[in-house]
Amino acid sequence: MIVKWQRAILALLKERKDHSIALAIDTSTRPSRPVLIQNIVKLFEKVRPDTLLVQADFKIRDVSPVGVATIKYFKHGKSSYTEVLEWAAEQKIDTLFYITDVTGYFYEELQVDYEVFWLVPDDYMPRVPFGKPIRVA
């Protein structure tokens, strides 16, 4: 059964078939729903196997193709989006999907001139600094 958030992500991926896409995961804490995160990764792997998976907390820990990555979570709770957002700009990523609870920080001066979709795996939907939030809970 496909749920609303899966339909939304599928539509976004299909509409952006000619875009460079990356999927980032906030690994600063173990998520309450790790299976949900894994399902999101599998969705990207099936629909866009060329997606790069970025694992980051306060720094980038790993960048690898979405189908080969093993996700490793940390327990310190410190999260910064700056390095991932700068990496996406340097790599000329057109659309960045970021799985996070949106409690991290970034440099206010940072210029983000590409699409960002915040995939929030929580029932609570915080205000996002820019881009568009999608609740995936």
Side-chain angles (χ1 to χ4, degrees), residues 41-57:
V41 172
K42 286 178 185 173
L43 177 67
F44 276 79
E45 184 181 350
K46 277 189 171 182
V47 179
R48 285 294 302 266
D50 59 328
T51 301
L52 288 175
L53 180 68
V54 182
Q55 297 181 61
D57 44 25

Side-chain angles (χ1 to χ4, degrees), residues 13 16 18-24 44 48 50-54 60 63-64 83-98 111-117:
L13 292 174
R16 288 152 184 80
D18 297 326
H19 290 197
S20 59
I21 290 180
L23 174 63
F44 276 79
R48 285 294 302 266
D50 59 328
T51 301
L52 288 175
L53 180 68
V54 182
I60 293 176
V63 177
S64 53
E83 203 171 311
V84 173
L85 295 169
E86 289 175 338
W87 172 88
E90 290 167 9
Q91 298 298 312
K92 300 195 183 338
I93 298 296
D94 296 314
T95 306
L96 175 67
F97 292 85
Y98 212 130
Q111 286 292 108
V112 177
D113 56 1
Y114 50 87
E115 280 187 307
V116 178
F117 291 96

Side-chain angles (χ1 to χ4, degrees), residues 67-82:
V68 300
T70 300
I71 301 169
K72 182 177 180 195
Y73 295 101
F74 297 87
K75 295 181 181 177
H76 51 70
K78 297 176 187 165
S79 181
S80 169
Y81 306 128
T82 301

